[in-house]
Amino acid sequence: MVERSVPRPVRTGAVALRPPAATSAPPERGRAPAAVLLAVALCLAIRVVAAWFPSNWVWGLDTFRFWPGILAAALAAFGALGFVPALARPCERALERLGSLWERAGARMDVVVAAGTSVLVFALRDPVRFVGDSDIRVGALALGLPPGRLFPQAYPLDILVNVGAAQALMHLGLDAATALQASGALTAGLFALTPAHVHEVVTFY
């Protein structure tokens, strides 16, 4: 029986050179943990159920209620596709190809997506708006009321986006509701263009 000898360090001067350690193969992409899938499914279910309860208790979860019924159902069904493996895998591959194309396109595609996001948010014209409580803010803009006294809890960036930017657009001839909608749409485009770590800071305003 022949014993295998372990490679010994080779000494060069005062430095011992050891043989390179074997590199492990990169881990294969595994399935999402069951707890994560359960949490995502629960979040989707809560949003669907909340759409049927016109109450402030579900504020922030009832966004489907403000969408046209067909679009809300289509969006919820699209979200549920991720829990059907036979349908989720083709969607995943398609999204990966789309992401690769986007990555190769570079900053130009980022600008296109940001512009498309702004146009989409402006076209939705939903009662919730993208930023802020629209009815109160539209009234304040139309009457020229001081935002600092109406919204003492608001942060400076909140005032800048929802009041300052909207007032600047009103000087261009837009009415208060359209100016506020356009301000929200521009904010959505900036969020889409801004890197994720900066976006997380901005959302705290």
Side-chain angles (χ1 to χ4, degrees):
M1 179 176 181
V2 180
E3 294 184 356
R4 292 187 177 181
S5 59
V6 178
R8 295 181 178 179
V10 180
R11 303 191 68 86
T12 18
V15 180
L17 300 179
R18 297 183 179 275
T23 56
S24 58
E28 296 182 0
R29 184 178 58 187
R31 297 181 178 179
V36 174
L37 292 177
L38 180 61
V40 175
L42 185 60
C43 289
L44 179 60
I46 289 175
R47 286 186 172 276
V48 171
V49 173
W52 297 89
F53 293 93
S55 169
N56 289 337
W57 285 92
V58 292
W59 186 86
L61 297 172
D62 58 348
T63 49
F64 282 152
R65 185 164 63 92
F66 301 98
W67 283 61
I70 296 178
L71 292 179
L75 187 59
F78 183 74
L81 290 181
F83 303 101
V84 183
L87 300 176
R89 282 190 288 269
C91 290
E92 182 182 8
R93 289 192 293 268
L95 291 175
E96 286 179 348
R97 288 194 294 269
L98 181 61
S100 299
L101 292 174
W102 185 349
E103 186 176 6
R104 287 197 295 270
R108 291 174 298 178
M109 184 58 67
D110 294 342
V111 174
V112 171
V113 171
T117 301
S118 292
V119 172
L120 178 62
V121 170
F122 184 79
L124 286 176
R125 309 291 293 186
D126 62 289
V128 178
R129 312 294 179 189
F130 182 73
V131 181
D133 304 309
S134 62
D135 290 338
I136 299 176
R137 295 176 186 272
V138 167
L141 288 170
L143 298 176
L145 300 176
R149 297 181 63 182
L150 287 174
F151 310 107
Q153 77 283 2
Y155 285 89
L157 188 55
D158 186 359
I159 298 296
L160 176 64
V161 170
N162 292 297
V163 179
Q167 287 177 340
L169 293 172
M170 289 176 66
H171 289 314
L172 298 178
L174 299 180
D175 60 88
T178 304
L180 185 61
Q181 183 76 14
S183 175
L186 292 174
T187 304
L190 289 175
F191 277 9
L193 189 61
T194 305
H197 62 281
V198 178
H199 170 259
E200 291 175 359
V201 175
V202 173
T203 52
F204 277 101
Y205 78 86

